[in-house]
Amino acid sequence: MGILSMKNEKNELCIDIISSLLSENYNIKISKLYASDFNVPQNRRRVLIFGIKKDVNIFPIDLKPLYDQSKRPTVSTILQPEPIDAKYFLSIKAIEGIKKKKERMLKERKGFGAQFLKLDKPSYTIPARYWKDGYDALVYYNENSIRRLTILELQRIQTFPDKYEFVGSNKDIIIQIGNAVAVNFAYEISKHIIHMLKLTTNESENESENESENESENESENESENESENESENESENKSENESENESENESENESENESENESENEITDYNKFTVANLKILCKKKNLKLYSKLKKSELIKLLTKN
C-alpha cells in the first residue's frame, strides 16, 4: 500500500501523478485489496490499477472480496505436521536478540520487530527478504521454541501447489515466492477482468439485439401500414368501381335489356364487346350466382364457363 502515500521530490503523491497520466488514454479504477479476501492465507495488501483504453468504451469496476473477514483462510491450514527439521528453529541467541530488540523498540516507540503468527488468522506478508532471518512471520511454540516457516509452508501461503517445482538455492526460491503474486489472488483478478469484458460484450449484444428488434418492429409497422394503405386503396377503388358500375347499369339497363333480348345467346361469341351491365344481365338470364360484384374480366370468364 506504500504507493498510496509515496511522494516525489516536489511533495506530490505519486499515485496522483500515475492516475493523471493514465487517465489521458485509459478508463481507470484503483482498488485496495487484501489477498486474504481471495482464498489466500496471508494478509498481503495490494493496490491494483485496472486500466482499459478509452476507445474500447469499458469502465473498470471494483473487485469485491469473496467473503467477509471471519472466513479468511488461516495459518493453521498451511502448517506442516511435526516433526519439523531442526534447521528451521531459532537458536537461543537469536531468541534473546529478538527479546532485546523488542524491549528497545517499545522504549523508542518505533518499528515492529519480529512477528509471531496467530494460528487462527491469516499470515503476515511474506516478503522477498524472508530468507535473511524469517522474522516477518515466525511460528511460536514457547519462549524457547520459535521457528521460521519451511519452504513448503511459504509456497502454501502464496497458494502454490505442493508439487510446484522452484529452481535455485533456498535463498533464490524464497525470493521467488516472496516476489510472486499469490496464485489464487491472480486467478481471481483474471476472472474479474474476463467478467468486466463479458459484461460489456453482453451490453453490446443487447444493444445490437435491441437495434435489430427495433428495425424489425419498424419494418413490420411499415409493412402493416403499407398493407393497410393498399387495402384502403383497394377498398376505395372497389367502391368507386361499384359506384361507377351501378351508375352505368342504371343508365344503360333499358338499352342493354333490349339489345340482349334481340340477340340469341347461341350467337354470342365475343363477350369483350359487351359492357359490364350487359354481361351482368346475361349472367342473370343464365341464372348464374355471385356475379353482382365481379369485374368485367371475371364476368367474361364466368359466362364462358357456363
Side-chain angles (χ1 to χ4, degrees):
M1 295 281 188
I3 192 173
L4 296 178
S5 57
M6 186 186 300
K7 295 183 178 181
N8 63 8
E9 65 279 0
K10 295 180 181 179
N11 205 36
E12 298 170 322
L13 283 171
C14 293
I15 192 65
D16 290 341
I17 297 170
I18 293 170
S19 298
S20 178
L21 291 172
L22 286 175
S23 296
E24 291 178 6
N25 298 303
Y26 294 83
N27 295 318
I28 67 168
K29 184 72 178 179
I30 299 174
S31 298
K32 293 171 281 188
L33 304 167
Y34 279 86
S36 53
D37 287 328
F38 300 94
N39 201 27
V40 178
Q42 178 186 188
N43 275 333
R44 198 178 187 93
R45 297 180 294 174
R46 286 294 176 265
V47 174
L48 296 182
I49 303 176
F50 294 102
I52 305 176
K53 293 199 75 174
K54 288 185 175 180
D55 58 7
V56 181
N57 198 30
I58 296 176
F59 293 87
I61 56 178
D62 272 325
L63 173 57
K64 295 182 179 180
L66 297 179
Y67 33 63
D68 60 42
Q69 294 184 16
S70 64
K71 295 181 180 179
R72 289 173 172 174
T74 64
V75 169
S76 61
T77 62
I78 60 91
L79 293 180
Q80 289 183 256
E82 302 291 341
I84 301 296
D85 195 316
K87 69 180 181 181
Y88 291 104
F89 285 82
L90 302 184
S91 64
I92 297 300
K93 183 178 179 181
I95 293 173
E96 289 299 321
I98 288 173
K99 291 178 181 178
K100 288 178 181 179
K101 186 175 182 180
K102 184 177 180 181
E103 291 172 0
R104 185 175 69 253
M105 297 183 96
L106 284 173
K107 289 179 181 179
E108 297 175 356
R109 295 182 179 180
K110 63 180 182 180
F112 53 84
Q115 299 182 123
F116 301 116
L117 296 169
K118 297 176 182 178
L119 300 186
D120 61 345
K121 301 287 183 183
S123 169
Y124 299 109
T125 298
I126 303 300
R129 66 171 182 272
Y130 191 86
W131 66 272
K132 292 181 178 180
D133 52 30
Y135 289 4
D136 301 274
L138 295 168
V139 180
Y140 181 91
Y141 295 99
N142 56 56
E143 288 186 353
N144 299 312
S145 183
I146 302 171
R147 72 171 176 88
R148 305 175 187 85
L149 292 165
T150 67
I151 287 178
L152 179 58
E153 290 169 339
L154 290 172
Q155 70 183 66
R156 285 177 176 176
I157 284 177
Q158 284 282 62
T159 59
F160 283 98
D162 285 3
K163 294 182 179 180
Y164 190 87
E165 294 184 11
F166 291 90
V167 177
S169 64
N170 284 350
K171 174 184 173 181
D172 294 334
I173 292 172
I174 293 172
I175 290 173
Q176 290 174 59
I177 293 172
N179 282 331
V181 176
V183 176
N184 288 353
F185 191 27
Y187 174 69
E188 294 301 331
I189 293 170
S190 302
K191 277 174 46 178
H192 180 64
I193 293 171
I194 293 170
H195 173 67
M196 285 191 291
L197 296 175
K198 280 187 175 180
L199 277 179
T200 307
T201 302
N202 289 336
E203 286 173 4
S204 298
E205 287 176 355
N206 290 334
E207 286 178 4
S208 298
E209 286 177 4
N210 290 333
E211 286 177 3
S212 298
E213 286 177 5
N214 291 332
E215 287 177 3
S216 299
E217 286 178 4
N218 291 332
E219 287 177 2
S220 298
E221 287 176 4
N222 291 332
E223 288 177 1
S224 299
E225 288 177 4
N226 292 333
E227 287 176 2
S228 299
E229 287 177 3
N230 291 334
E231 287 176 2
S232 299
E233 288 176 3
N234 291 334
E235 287 177 3
S236 299
E237 287 177 4
N238 291 333
K239 285 181 180 178
S240 299
E241 286 180 3
N242 290 333
E243 289 174 0
S244 299
E245 288 174 2
N246 290 331
E247 287 175 2
S248 299
E249 286 175 9
N250 293 330
E251 289 175 358
S252 60
E253 191 171 16
N254 293 328
E255 294 178 3
S256 299
E257 285 180 359
N258 292 331
E259 289 177 2
S260 297
E261 286 174 1
N262 294 329
E263 294 179 1
S264 172
E265 287 181 17
N266 294 330
E267 295 175 353
I268 297 170
T269 58
D270 190 0
Y271 290 112
N272 289 312
K273 295 179 180 180
F274 287 80
T275 64
V276 172
N278 289 336
L279 292 171
K280 286 187 176 181
I281 290 170
L282 290 174
C283 288
K284 184 177 180 182
K285 286 188 173 185
K286 288 190 175 187
N287 293 321
L288 300 178
K289 298 179 180 181
L290 303 175
Y291 63 84
S292 60
K293 293 185 179 181
L294 295 179
K295 296 180 182 180
K296 185 172 182 179
S297 59
E298 294 170 332
L299 290 166
I300 292 171
K301 285 182 181 180
L302 183 63
L303 288 165
T304 303
K305 288 180 181 180
N306 294 279

